[in-house]
Amino acid sequence: RLRRAGPTDVLVDGEGVVLRAAEAGDRLRLPVVVGARDPAPRPGARFTDPRVVSGLAVLQATEGVPLMGRRSLAVVDCTYADRIILRGRGSEAVVA
């Protein structure tokens, strides 16, 4: 999973632990979780920002569901405190 923090994208696991800096192809095959308020932690550290934790929970819950999960989602937007917005790949449709 990807998390975008300003100009730096990082790859994180399902628990929010930073694995490494993202590479160019990662964003094409993995969803981006946006909306974190804190900067990305260093590799090996875990995100504690509730917005990132919520976004990762949504990804876990939708894994394997048709038209959802990491293969179909492009963006998990956790910018808003009262909702999470999901955007699919190649689609302008927004699911809240």
Side-chain angles (χ1 to χ4, degrees):
R1 277 128 175 124
L2 270 177
R3 187 271 186 182
R4 188 171 177 158
T8 304
D9 289 349
V10 293
L11 193 67
V12 301
D13 67 10
E15 302 296 320
V17 175
V18 176
L19 303 174
R20 61 175 169 78
E23 297 171 356
D26 290 331
R27 188 168 184 163
L28 297 174
R29 59 184 187 82
L30 297 170
V32 177
V33 177
V34 297
R37 292 171 273 177
D38 299 329
R42 290 188 286 178
R46 181 185 309 260
F47 273 99
T48 58
D49 186 320
R51 294 171 191 240
V52 173
V53 173
S54 294
L56 293 173
V58 167
L59 284 173
Q60 293 287 339
T62 60
E63 190 62 34
V65 176
L67 303 177
M68 301 291 275
R70 69 182 152 158
R71 291 193 172 129
S72 299
L73 291 177
V75 176
V76 178
D77 187 345
C78 305
T79 303
Y80 308 99
D82 61 343
R83 67 187 173 273
I84 295 175
I85 299 171
L86 308 176
R87 291 186 178 90
R89 296 190 184 280
S91 170
E92 294 298 319
V94 176
V95 180

